[in-house]
């Protein structure tokens, strides 16, 4: 597999360069305050590298879904302020991402200068990958760097269009993501174990198929385990589960696992609640004995122990999707068990972003894994074997 050319590869003199860096600063806000700065922190190493190498840098990103219109509530001003705090310097926010004023400011960027462009999605042409918009976005720069793995599965002007108009490189974060996730597709150490949670089988059908072809064992949790149980004819009470289409897919996956000699492992016990509430009455029951009027909210202790054992014996572990709604403390034990087992493992451990990434951050464990992906959707599409437009547009060695 060819490797991406990154900013640290030889062949580019960054001194005096004016670089457009596509970062993923799509962070949650509360009243203009950044409530989770993980994505901003993830952008810092690439920005520091370029600035210390003598480049002038303009960082761009989307934020939220302004639907192609200027929305002050979705300005990148809070991200610029937080980036400035992390970098120990003021980060100037330009009034737009294109236009004469922006082009003139960018053309005058000096070595070591850092500015931020306003929200790309204030322009509808961004998501349409409009060629004329990509051309305007590229004006004034000598180079382009994509470090936004979380947006690399989108063929937008800032992720795909500009990369074909300027000398381009992968940022440190994006290159690391592609290397680690590509390793799972290529030559993972065995036993290769995947832990999958979340709500819907239908949402993760291509991913599960892909992992069944590569893994020795796939451990199922979260609400989607109840779709598998219903597909086997088990009663699940009021547990969240899918209808006939999802159940048919679950049966198809169980049959595929048998053909591929991959162990598809379902919970043997679950934590159930009489209502979806932190104050609910709780009990642990076997998965074939969920009473009417009760809902499954987490894997049970026997299942958690079995999953711990499988993770402990693995050479590679990939995890995507919590075992239950971990934000509610009484329902978090199964997710904590998986996170803790992976953190204590000697295996290559990869957390697939999204809710799983939020969980390990909440538990204070994010630095205890081989890799925690910043791109939920992009990571899943890559592991499905799909081409990511933002990656395909970058040069390889």
């Amino acid at each position: 597999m060819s490797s991406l050319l990154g900013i640290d590869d030889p062949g580019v003199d960054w001194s005096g360069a004016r670089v457009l860096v596509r970062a993923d600063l799509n962070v949650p806000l509360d009243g203009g305050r950044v409530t989770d700065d993980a994505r901003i922190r993830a952008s810092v190493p690439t920005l520091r590298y370029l600035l210390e190498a003598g480049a002038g840098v303009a960082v761009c990103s989307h934020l939220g879904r302004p639907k192609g219109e200027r929305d002050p509530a979705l300005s990148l001003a809070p991200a610029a302020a937080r980036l400035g705090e992390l970098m120990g310097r003021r980060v100037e926010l330009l009034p737009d991402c294109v236009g004469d004023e922006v082009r003139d400011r960018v053309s005058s960027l000096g070595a070591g200068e850092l500015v931020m462009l306003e929200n790309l999605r204030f322009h509808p042409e961004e998501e349409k990958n409009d060629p004329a918009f990509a051309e305007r976005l590229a004006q004034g720069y000598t180079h382009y760097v994509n470090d936004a793995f979380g947006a690399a599965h989108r063929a937008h002007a800032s992720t795909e269009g500009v990369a074909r108009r300027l000398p381009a490189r992968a940022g440190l974060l994006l290159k690391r993501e592609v290397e680690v996730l590509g390793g799972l597709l290529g030559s993972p150490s065995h036993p290769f174990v995947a832990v999958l949670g979340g709500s819907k089988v239908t949402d993760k059908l291509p991913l599960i198929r892909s992992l069944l072809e590569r893994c020795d064992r796939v451990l199922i949790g979260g609400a989607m385990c109840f779709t598998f149980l219903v597909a086997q004819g088990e009663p699940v009470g009021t547990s969240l589960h899918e209808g006939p289409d999802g159940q048919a897919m679950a049966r198809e996956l169980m049959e595929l696992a048998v053909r591929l000699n991959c162990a598809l492992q379902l919970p043997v016990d679950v934590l159930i609640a009489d209502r979806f509430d932190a104050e609910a009455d709780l009990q642990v029951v076997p998965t074939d004995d969920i009473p009417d009027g009760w809902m499954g909210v987490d894997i049970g202790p026997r299942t958690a122990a079995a999953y711990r054992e499988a993770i402990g014996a693995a050479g590679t572990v990939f995890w995507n999707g919590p075992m239950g709604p971990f934000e509610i403390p009484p329902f978090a034990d199964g997710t904590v068990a998986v996170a803790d087992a992976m953190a204590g493992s000697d295996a290559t451990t990869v957390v697939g972003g999204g809710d799983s990434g939020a969980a390990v951050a909440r538990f204070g464990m994010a630095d205890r894994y081989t890799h925690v992906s910043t791109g939920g959707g992009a990571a899943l599409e890559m592991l499905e074997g799909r081409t990511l437009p933002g990656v395909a547009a970058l040069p390889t060695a």
Side-chain angles (χ1 to χ4, degrees):
M1 178 178 173
S2 58
S3 60
L4 289 174
L5 289 174
I7 58 172
D8 55 348
D9 291 314
V12 181
D13 180 6
W14 296 108
S15 179
R18 297 185 303 276
V19 187
L20 176 65
V21 175
R22 177 53 159 105
D24 182 6
L25 309 180
N26 185 31
V27 294
L29 301 176
D30 182 10
R33 181 180 65 87
V34 175
T35 58
D36 181 353
D37 66 358
R39 287 175 173 167
I40 301 177
R41 288 179 178 276
S43 72
V44 169
T46 287
L47 298 177
R48 284 199 191 282
Y49 183 97
L50 292 169
L51 293 169
E52 290 171 3
V57 174
V59 59
C60 66
S61 177
H62 73 282
L63 176 63
R65 297 180 177 179
K67 299 180 180 179
E69 297 181 359
R70 184 171 290 271
D71 181 352
L74 292 175
S75 169
L76 279 166
R82 183 60 186 138
L83 179 62
E85 292 170 355
L86 294 170
M87 301 280 292
R89 60 192 293 167
R90 177 177 175 269
V91 176
E92 177 187 358
L93 178 68
L94 303 190
D96 206 336
C97 58
V98 293
D100 293 345
E101 184 178 350
V102 172
R103 184 194 61 222
D104 291 347
R105 178 68 182 93
V106 165
S107 297
S108 68
L109 272 178
E113 277 196 278
L114 174 64
V115 299
M116 185 180 293
L117 307 185
E118 188 51 284
N119 194 337
L120 292 159
R121 289 189 183 175
F122 285 174
H123 296 266
E125 299 92 343
E126 155 66 2
E127 293 184 84
K128 295 175 182 176
N129 197 10
D130 180 78
F133 182 74
E135 194 69 42
R136 294 175 67 202
L137 197 56
Q139 288 179 346
Y141 302 99
T142 61
H143 295 79
Y144 167 78
V145 170
N146 191 347
D147 209 31
F149 181 71
H153 58 317
R154 307 298 187 202
H156 292 170
S158 67
T159 59
E160 203 266 351
V162 177
R164 303 193 184 279
R165 288 169 169 78
L166 291 169
R169 285 292 187 272
L172 300 176
L173 171 67
L174 187 141
K175 187 175 181 181
R176 168 72 174 165
E177 293 268 16
V178 171
E179 287 175 348
V180 171
L181 296 171
L184 298 184
L185 290 170
S187 54
S189 298
H190 290 270
F192 182 9
V193 174
V195 187
L196 299 177
S199 298
K200 294 183 177 181
V201 178
T202 48
D203 288 347
K204 294 187 176 176
L205 180 64
L207 174 67
I208 300 173
R209 281 177 175 156
S210 176
L211 290 173
L212 288 175
E213 293 174 358
R214 294 173 169 84
C215 289
D216 302 287
R217 188 172 296 273
V218 174
L219 312 176
I220 301 293
M224 72 174 172
C225 78
F226 299 108
T227 299
F228 281 92
L229 293 171
V230 169
Q232 290 182 325
E234 305 289 358
V236 296
T238 58
S239 304
L240 182 65
H241 64 279
E242 292 176 86
D245 288 347
Q247 293 167 39
M249 290 178 185
R251 283 189 289 272
E252 173 197 324
L253 291 169
M254 288 187 282
E255 292 166 1
L256 179 61
V258 172
R259 293 199 301 274
L260 294 172
N261 197 30
C262 176
L264 182 63
Q265 195 164 336
L266 297 174
V268 295
D269 63 343
V270 289
L271 178 72
I272 60 173
D274 64 348
R275 64 189 189 281
F276 193 75
D277 188 279
E279 304 300 321
D281 290 334
L282 303 173
Q283 57 178 308
V284 175
V285 299
T287 50
D288 61 358
D289 195 25
I290 301 174
D292 290 343
W294 289 72
M295 64 179 68
V297 291
D298 194 7
I299 58 174
R302 286 172 53 211
T303 301
Y307 287 10
R308 276 184 179 275
E309 183 178 356
I311 291 167
T316 304
V317 186
F318 171 73
W319 176 28
N320 178 264
M323 300 295 97
F326 66 90
E327 303 89 347
I328 301 175
F331 308 159
D333 287 355
T335 304
V336 171
V338 168
D340 186 62
M342 288 180 63
S345 169
D346 293 329
T348 297
T349 51
V350 180
V351 180
D355 288 340
S356 308
V360 298
R362 188 185 188 97
F363 304 152
M365 298 185 189
D367 60 350
R368 297 178 62 190
Y369 309 97
T370 304
H371 185 67
V372 179
S373 180
T374 58
L380 299 193
E381 288 198 16
M382 186 169 177
L383 290 175
E384 290 167 10
R386 295 165 65 177
T387 298
L388 306 186
V391 173
L394 298 173
T396 57

